[in-house]
Amino acid sequence: MESAHLLGTAKKRVKIHPHTVTAQYATPTRTPYSPQPGVHTHFPQPGDEGYDDAPSFEDFGSFLEETSDKKRLTEGKKWPLTLFTSKDKDSTPKSPSAAGTSGEGGDGSGRAPKATSAKGVGEQLASFGEASVSASRLTWVGLLGAGLAHGVLIVLTRVASEHFHLGPLFLLLVRSVVQLLSVAVPLQKGENPFGPRGYRLRLVFYGIAYSLSLCCAYSSLTFISNGNATTTWRLATTALSATLAFLLLEERLGLTDGVTIVAGLFGLALVLLPTVDEYNVDTPTDPVTFWKGAFGWSLSALAGLWMALALVGYRSLKEKIGVGTALFTVSWTGCLLAPATLALLQEGWSWPMSGTAWGLILGLVACSIAAFLGMTHALTRLHPAIVSASQSVEVPLAMLLYLAVLPEPPSALEIIGNVVILISVSWMVAMKLLPSRVVPRRQREEYEEILDSPIK
């Protein structure tokens, strides 16, 4: 630049903008520092006395004009990688002669050419949407797999109770003891198995709520049938988790999700309705039997309440607590509460005496771990009521397995209710993953999930 002054040709002024670099050439004018032809003149440098590098009023005015351009501010909000990529692709260098008259932009304003990055933004959004949809598909695969594992777990529990005379609470205790091995996951990651400081009390409450739910659900199997206990537990969990998530976390359900969940609850209610033969019972009901049944139904509903609290509790801890730490917390709290419940209800202690019984217990533990991992991981991305409603597929699967293992023909109401459950869950998955005709639903729902999620 100094040589340009000495030769008296052109002066180049460079302005650096947060988003553009502008170079403008102008004819030199005589200034106090302009040299005489053939005379060497020293220009002030930083550090010299009297040197002032502050911008002039004219420079400040042009800078203010550029920064106040609304359109340029709008363009500045685009993705950084897209801006750089599109600038390299679309911008073309100008010749010095053209730059001398109109600057790099060629419009006489001295501004840089505008980068057309609409295509780049679209590519970024498309790649972001594909990654999000891929993660959503994996989440839903794990969630539906958890529902299938729950269905197998229901049948294995009934087979162990009826054919091997193993008490439900004993199975829960063995399950909790084996799951203590999950402590290796947080230790391997260098995390505290009891959670980070400031969140341990809430983590303990989550573990107690989850274990109390399992204790109530397994205890209800002593008083009512396995199918009724499971269906009541799922219905109460889904309905109460939607209510508690709104009251405690201020998370609302969309209209489509709400209608789908209500349809699933209607299907569960149809499964619970008594058959015609149960209506036309002429024999008087034993009061002891009646109150035992009422106590069993109450335990199932109470199990749904505790499970809803556990789902909402982990939803509030999803940023701080990993799935391995959550599984260990449920395990050690279950080791404390299961023996206490077993002693309170005075359930007889039984021990498996054959290899088949032990294999059944190991299969039960594997299904419980798979169901817990799929459901807990889904809580990091989905509403607790949606997670619980998707687990309703356990009821139709259990009915089909009952037909294969324990031949019991279902009633017409059970078949209709199970069909309604399958339709509601299938519709929910389709609405979450399939694209729409007008707007790409995959991108739209991922953004809605980000915007609607509360900041904890």
Side-chain angles (χ1 to χ4, degrees):
M1 185 184 297
E2 187 177 68
S3 61
H5 283 285
L6 292 175
L7 296 175
T9 56
K11 180 177 68 175
K12 179 180 179 182
R13 183 176 60 181
V14 179
K15 293 189 293 182
I16 300 177
H17 190 268
H19 304 294
T20 60
V21 179
T22 304
Q24 189 173 9
Y25 295 85
T27 304
T29 56
R30 180 78 57 178
T31 62
Y33 298 106
S34 299
Q36 297 291 335
V39 180
H40 175 74
T41 303
H42 172 73
F43 291 92
Q45 301 294 329
D48 296 347
E49 184 178 359
Y51 176 79
D52 185 11
D53 60 349
S56 63
F57 184 79
E58 295 180 356
D59 293 336
F60 178 78
S62 61
F63 176 77
L64 182 62
E65 179 183 0
E66 290 186 3
T67 55
S68 63
D69 192 348
K70 183 177 181 180
K71 190 172 184 180
R72 186 168 297 278
L73 290 178
T74 305
E75 292 179 356
K77 297 180 180 179
K78 297 177 182 177
W79 295 62
L81 290 177
T82 305
L83 284 176
F84 289 131
T85 304
S86 61
K87 184 176 181 180
D88 293 337
K89 291 181 179 180
D90 299 333
S91 60
T92 56
K94 296 292 182 178
S95 61
S97 59
T101 57
S102 59
E104 287 186 0
D107 56 354
S109 59
R111 297 179 181 176
K114 298 179 180 179
T116 58
S117 56
K119 182 178 180 181
V121 172
E123 293 176 354
Q124 290 288 337
L125 292 178
S127 61
F128 175 77
E130 291 176 359
S132 300
V133 170
S134 178
S136 298
R137 288 174 179 171
L138 293 177
T139 300
W140 277 101
V141 168
L143 189 57
L144 295 179
L148 299 179
H150 272 136
V152 177
L153 182 62
I154 295 170
V155 179
L156 292 180
T157 303
R158 182 175 178 179
V159 172
S161 178
E162 294 182 358
H163 292 269
F164 296 95
H165 307 288
L166 300 175
L169 289 175
F170 170 76
L171 296 176
L172 177 61
L173 179 59
V174 175
R175 165 183 169 179
S176 300
V177 172
V178 175
Q179 289 176 353
L180 287 175
L181 298 175
S182 61
V183 69
V185 177
L187 291 179
Q188 183 181 6
K189 295 182 178 180
E191 301 175 356
N192 192 323
F194 298 96
R197 292 184 178 180
Y199 297 92
R200 294 175 182 174
L201 184 61
R202 295 167 61 183
L203 183 60
V204 170
F205 173 77
Y206 158 75
I208 292 176
Y210 201 103
S211 298
L212 280 177
S213 175
L214 295 180
C215 290
C216 293
Y218 277 74
S219 299
S220 65
L221 300 179
T222 308
F223 305 99
I224 60 178
S225 65
N226 197 305
N228 290 336
T230 302
T231 307
T232 306
W233 179 27
R234 183 57 56 197
L235 191 151
T237 301
T238 304
L240 293 174
S241 59
T243 306
L244 293 177
F246 174 74
L247 295 177
L248 301 179
L249 302 180
E250 297 182 356
E251 290 192 6
R252 298 172 177 84
L253 286 169
L255 179 61
T256 304
D257 294 334
V259 172
T260 307
I261 290 175
V262 170
L265 294 178
F266 178 72
L268 292 173
L270 289 178
V271 175
L272 288 175
L273 288 179
T275 60
V276 179
D277 295 336
E278 294 176 352
Y279 273 122
N280 298 328
V281 175
D282 296 331
T283 58
T285 304
D286 185 8
V288 178
T289 305
F290 172 78
W291 286 112
K292 281 186 176 181
F295 183 65
W297 288 94
S298 301
L299 284 177
S300 298
L302 186 61
L305 174 62
W306 284 114
M307 182 56 68
L309 285 173
L311 296 180
V312 174
Y314 185 80
R315 177 71 175 174
S316 64
L317 295 171
K318 62 179 183 177
E319 303 294 339
K320 301 294 182 180
I321 306 300
V323 179
T325 305
L327 180 59
F328 174 70
T329 304
V330 171
S331 302
W332 72 262
T333 52
C335 289
L336 297 178
L337 294 178
T341 308
L342 193 148
L344 181 63
L345 296 179
Q346 297 181 356
E347 183 179 298
W349 185 272
S350 57
W351 193 259
M353 302 300 296
S354 63
T356 305
W358 280 109
L360 188 66
I361 292 177
L362 293 179
L364 189 147
V365 172
C367 290
S368 65
I369 293 176
F372 180 87
L373 295 178
M375 190 173 62
T376 307
H377 173 71
L379 283 174
T380 60
R381 297 176 59 89
L382 300 174
H383 193 280
I386 296 177
V387 173
S388 179
S390 64
Q391 301 302 292
S392 301
V393 297
E394 65 186 3
V395 178
L397 179 63
M399 183 191 70
L400 296 177
L401 293 178
Y402 284 152
L403 292 176
V405 181
L406 305 172
E408 293 181 357
S411 63
L413 288 177
E414 289 179 354
I415 295 176
I416 297 174
N418 287 314
V419 170
V420 172
I421 292 172
L422 290 177
I423 292 176
S424 65
V425 176
S426 301
W427 180 258
M428 181 185 301
V429 176
M431 291 298 295
K432 292 294 182 180
L433 297 182
L434 293 181
S436 177
R437 292 183 178 180
V438 181
V439 181
R441 186 182 302 279
R442 294 179 292 182
Q443 296 180 10
R444 180 182 65 190
E445 291 193 352
E446 292 299 331
Y447 279 110
E448 288 178 354
E449 181 181 351
I450 295 173
L451 295 177
D452 295 341
S453 298
I455 300 176
K456 304 301 177 190

